[in-house]
Amino acid sequence: MDYLQSAEKAAREAGKYILSNLGRTKQISFKSKESNLVTEVDKKSEELIIESLLKDFPDFDILAEESGASSTKNSEYMWVIDPLDGTTNFAHGLPIFSVSIGLIKGNEVIAGVVYDPTRDHLFSAAKGKGAFLNGKKLSVSKTKEIKKSLLVTGFPYNVEENPDFCFERFVIMTKNSRAVRRLGSAALDFAYVAAGIFDGFWEVKLNPWDIAAGLLLVKEAGGKVTNFKGEESDIFNPQILASNGHIHDKMIELLALAEQIQLSV
Ligand code: IPD
Ligand code: CA
Ligand code: CA
């Protein structure tokens, strides 16, 4: 079994489990504050994924959202796992969430899977081999004008503190694009850029498990992923700008402009 097959198997198993719990009463606890939820489904999903991956690759390291760095064998390979991306949606019964599993070697993502169990959408990518949705090759959009672009963003859990100008950036992008959506699952935001649905995605503060698989999907679909200055990004860089490449410079320009405006709210 190769890396991708192993990640796909684990993501499908976890996705099936998550879906079977959608709409059921869940035990919700809070990580830091009331907006930062975690359910028992996040935790169980993570257990299932780790068990499955370690069965196939017992010597790989693991970094997962709920349990942290649980397998530290000093391997050059590390699975980076978000067992349920879109927990708030899931907890409210909104069917927009995913499982995200990336594999890094050194600092580079070499395989990634994002699985949306509600639509049975399996997004996958291996370095140098392209990005796929249920086996069909993906390409980013060809949109060249920001005014004709459909963008997406997300907000961190401390959004009320407006970290890194996140409100200003939202206002500028909304005024200059066709529309800005906010799905609540960063892994799906990346996957939809890879699929050519969204033309661009930015977020001010993401974690490695939100980024790993999605970053590779976008790159392998022909897109670009950087920080807001246009510098090459890795999974440990919280600022993410992912786009079809054509609108990247314009997005950088607007994101920078946002730092100079003053909101009257
Ligand atoms: C969150 C989602 C959301 C993003 C947040 C993430 P979680 O992940 O990806 O779209 O805006 O920054 O923390 O907590 O649902 O796994
Ligand atoms: Ca997440
Ligand atoms: Ca999560």
Side-chain angles (χ1 to χ4, degrees):
M1 177 164 325
D2 67 25
Y3 309 140
L4 210 50
Q5 287 169 332
S6 176
E8 287 179 9
K9 175 166 67 87
R12 282 189 186 281
E13 267 171 36
K16 198 171 155 199
Y17 164 74
I18 295 169
L19 201 55
S20 70
N21 280 278
L22 182 62
R24 297 213 176 135
T25 319
K26 282 162 284 288
Q27 225 183 327
I28 295 176
S29 39
F30 303 101
K31 287 187 184 169
S32 49
K33 55 170 76 158
E34 251 189 60
S35 55
N36 196 354
L37 319 175
V38 59
T39 70
E40 83 270 17
V41 177
D42 296 74
K43 292 177 188 160
K44 179 72 186 162
S45 170
E46 185 161 305
E47 275 170 37
L48 290 172
I49 294 167
I50 293 176
E51 196 188 315
S52 178
L53 294 173
L54 284 181
K55 218 181 271 168
D56 297 334
F57 297 99
D59 298 328
F60 286 12
D61 285 353
I62 303 261
L63 174 65
E65 179 173 15
E66 310 306 337
S67 53
S70 62
S71 163
T72 45
K73 292 165 183 141
N74 268 332
S75 166
E76 56 174 337
Y77 294 95
M78 182 164 76
W79 292 110
V80 184
I81 303 160
D82 191 332
L84 204 183
D85 186 50
T87 295
T88 307
N89 289 348
F90 173 75
H92 287 260
L94 178 65
I96 304 176
F97 48 81
S98 59
V99 173
S100 173
I101 304 174
L103 178 65
I104 63 166
K105 186 180 180 195
N107 250 7
E108 203 183 12
V109 193
I110 58 165
V113 164
V114 173
Y115 182 54
D116 168 359
T118 71
R119 293 170 184 78
D120 193 26
H121 279 175
L122 196 288
F123 297 89
S124 61
K127 193 170 178 280
K129 301 221 166 104
F132 298 85
L133 165 54
N134 293 347
K136 199 169 156 256
K137 199 164 186 341
L138 297 177
S139 296
V140 293
S141 70
K142 295 187 168 62
T143 314
K144 293 192 172 57
E145 288 170 56
I146 196 84
K147 262 286 164 212
K148 293 183 179 162
S149 295
L150 183 63
L151 307 178
V152 67
T153 191
F155 294 103
Y157 285 106
N158 64 337
V159 60
E160 75 283 358
E161 293 160 23
N162 193 19
D164 198 7
F165 305 94
C166 60
F167 290 138
E168 289 83 353
R169 298 193 204 278
F170 183 77
V171 169
I172 289 244
M173 291 303 202
T174 303
K175 283 185 172 175
N176 285 278
S177 62
R178 180 164 283 165
V180 177
R181 298 292 180 242
R182 199 211 157 177
L183 297 190
S185 167
L188 280 180
D189 296 338
F190 277 110
Y192 288 170
V193 172
I197 295 169
F198 290 131
D199 304 295
F201 163 49
W202 84 95
E203 190 155 345
V204 300
K205 207 170 96 184
L206 287 174
N207 289 298
W209 41 84
D210 302 312
I211 299 170
L215 178 143
L216 187 65
L217 281 170
V218 171
K219 284 190 172 170
E220 287 296 325
K224 198 166 174 179
V225 185
T226 68
N227 63 13
F228 295 172
K229 288 194 181 124
E231 296 157 348
E232 186 80 14
S233 240
D234 65 32
I235 66 165
F236 300 103
N237 186 328
Q239 251 189 7
I240 283 289
L241 170 57
S243 83
N244 65 6
H246 305 298
I247 59 164
H248 211 81
D249 289 348
K250 187 67 190 174
M251 285 186 80
I252 289 173
E253 192 188 303
L254 293 171
L255 287 167
L257 204 63
E259 297 180 19
Q260 292 158 31
I261 63 168
Q262 276 223 303
L263 292 179
S264 51
V265 283

